[in-house]
């Protein structure tokens, strides 16, 4: 069963705006990761946040984690058309670090 | 560094036929994963190998799916016989170690259509 649930399912913004995606999960985790998938391509790892961390930055990406609410958010600042993709949160399982993915948020950035 | 290679990229078969997918992980990566991604959903783990041993195959439909990783390098995933609901993208990923988190690197996937 899928662990994470992203919200919203789809998001459409204009270049330069910020995009915020949320993820909720059900069970305890060691790490939470965000991946990006361009249409017809494999997944690319964006950022990982550990369960004892609350916020992490990488370039234009900012991830927050609230373990009490079992939720995370991914913020992409100053979005570009090239950011158009699907974004998935993934949590590690108990059985040895395989990933449990949510259904993803489809982001469309228009010029 | 070469990425994870998968073949074929696309496959169309009729139900009840058999199909096999191949994956070559990044050199030196001990852990290999097969995921199934149905349209509109996130990937779901089918099986995880550590070297040539199976770590987790709890979500693999073993009545029709099988996978092997001979010599702890390349891996094949087979479906026999295929059903309509098997239409999906099959993603292979690899990571350096199982203990402690290691980034998973994904291949481009094989898109399977079952008619």
């Amino acid at each position: 069963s899928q662990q994470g649930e992203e919200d919203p399912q789809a998001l459409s913004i204009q270049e330069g705006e910020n995009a915020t995606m949320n993820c909720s999960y059900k069970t305890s985790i060691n790490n939470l990761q965000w991946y990006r998938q361009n249409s017809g391509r494999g997944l690319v790892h964006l950022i990982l946040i550990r369960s004892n961390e609350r916020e992490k930055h990488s370039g234009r990406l900012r991830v927050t984690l609230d373990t009490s609410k079992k939720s995370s958010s991914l913020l992409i600042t100053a979005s570009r058309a090239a950011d158009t993709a699907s974004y998935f949160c993934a949590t590690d399982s108990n059985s040895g670090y395989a990933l449990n993915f949510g259904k993803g948020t489809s982001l469309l950035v228009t010029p | 560094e070469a990425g994870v290679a998968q073949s074929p990229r696309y496959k169309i078969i009729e139900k009840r036929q058999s199909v096999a997918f191949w994956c070559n992980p990044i050199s030196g990566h001990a852990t290999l994963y097969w995921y199934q991604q149905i349209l509109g959903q996130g990937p779901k783990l089918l099986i995880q190998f550590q070297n040539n041993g199976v770590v987790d195959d709890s979500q693999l439909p073993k009545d029709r799916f099988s996978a092997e990783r001979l010599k702890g390098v390349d891996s094949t995933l087979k479906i026999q016989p295929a059903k309509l609901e098997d239409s999906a993208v099959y993603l292979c990923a690899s990571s350096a170690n199982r203990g402690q988190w290691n980034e998973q690197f994904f291949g481009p996937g094989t898109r399977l259509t079952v008619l």
Side-chain angles (χ1 to χ4, degrees), chain A:
Chain A
S1 61
Q2 296 192 305
Q3 165 79 305
E5 291 289 339
E6 288 89 344
D7 169 53
Q9 290 187 357
L11 180 61
S12 181
I13 59 174
Q14 291 190 321
E15 269 192 326
E17 294 182 334
N18 295 340
T20 299
M21 289 159 268
N22 302 297
C23 167
S24 60
Y25 57 91
K26 298 175 182 176
T27 62
S28 297
I29 62 170
N30 293 324
N31 307 294
L32 185 142
Q33 304 172 51
W34 285 89
Y35 280 79
R36 164 194 170 128
Q37 185 176 39
N38 287 73
S39 179
R41 302 277 188 91
L43 287 92
V44 175
H45 178 260
L46 293 176
I47 194 166
L48 174 146
I49 186 165
R50 301 191 187 282
S51 59
N52 61 354
E53 297 177 314
R54 292 296 167 258
E55 187 171 315
K56 202 161 184 179
H57 296 254
S58 177
R60 294 185 295 115
L61 305 179
R62 172 177 168 255
V63 171
T64 62
L65 178 64
D66 187 337
T67 53
S68 66
K69 296 181 180 178
K70 292 186 170 58
S71 66
S72 173
S73 68
L74 171 68
L75 169 66
I76 304 174
T77 60
S79 63
R80 306 166 182 168
D83 295 329
T84 294
S86 292
Y87 292 81
F88 295 89
C89 69
T91 56
D92 60 345
S93 67
N94 293 325
S95 62
Y97 313 98
L99 296 174
N100 292 302
F101 286 87
K103 293 184 177 180
T105 291
S106 178
L107 174 65
L108 173 64
V109 182
T110 54

Side-chain angles (χ1 to χ4, degrees), chain A residues 2 33 37 95-97 102, chain B residues 35 37 42 48 56 98 101 104:
Chain A
Q2 296 192 305
Q33 304 172 51
Q37 185 176 39
S95 62
Y97 313 98
Chain B
Y35 291 87
Q37 185 176 21
Q48 176 185 349
D56 183 358
R98 174 172 170 241
W101 174 82
Q104 292 187 26

Side-chain angles (χ1 to χ4, degrees), chain B residues 35-112:
Chain B
Y35 291 87
Q36 179 193 59
Q37 185 176 21
I38 293 172
L39 184 66
Q41 298 184 19
K44 181 187 80 171
L45 178 72
L46 291 176
I47 188 166
Q48 176 185 349
F49 292 95
Q50 175 76 7
N51 296 311
N52 60 351
V54 175
V55 172
D56 183 358
D57 63 356
S58 57
Q59 298 191 85
L60 186 73
K62 298 181 186 62
D63 57 335
R64 299 183 300 107
F65 286 64
S66 64
E68 61 182 7
R69 191 184 184 197
L70 299 177
K71 301 180 181 178
V73 181
D74 292 7
S75 177
T76 56
L77 176 69
K78 297 178 181 178
I79 307 175
Q80 181 180 5
K83 293 184 175 181
L84 296 177
E85 58 261 37
D86 298 332
S87 293
V89 175
Y90 291 85
L91 296 163
C92 179
S94 68
S95 64
N97 286 301
R98 174 172 170 241
Q100 295 194 0
W101 174 82
N102 278 273
E103 179 181 345
Q104 292 187 26
F105 295 84
F106 283 80
T110 296
R111 182 177 297 277
L112 173 67

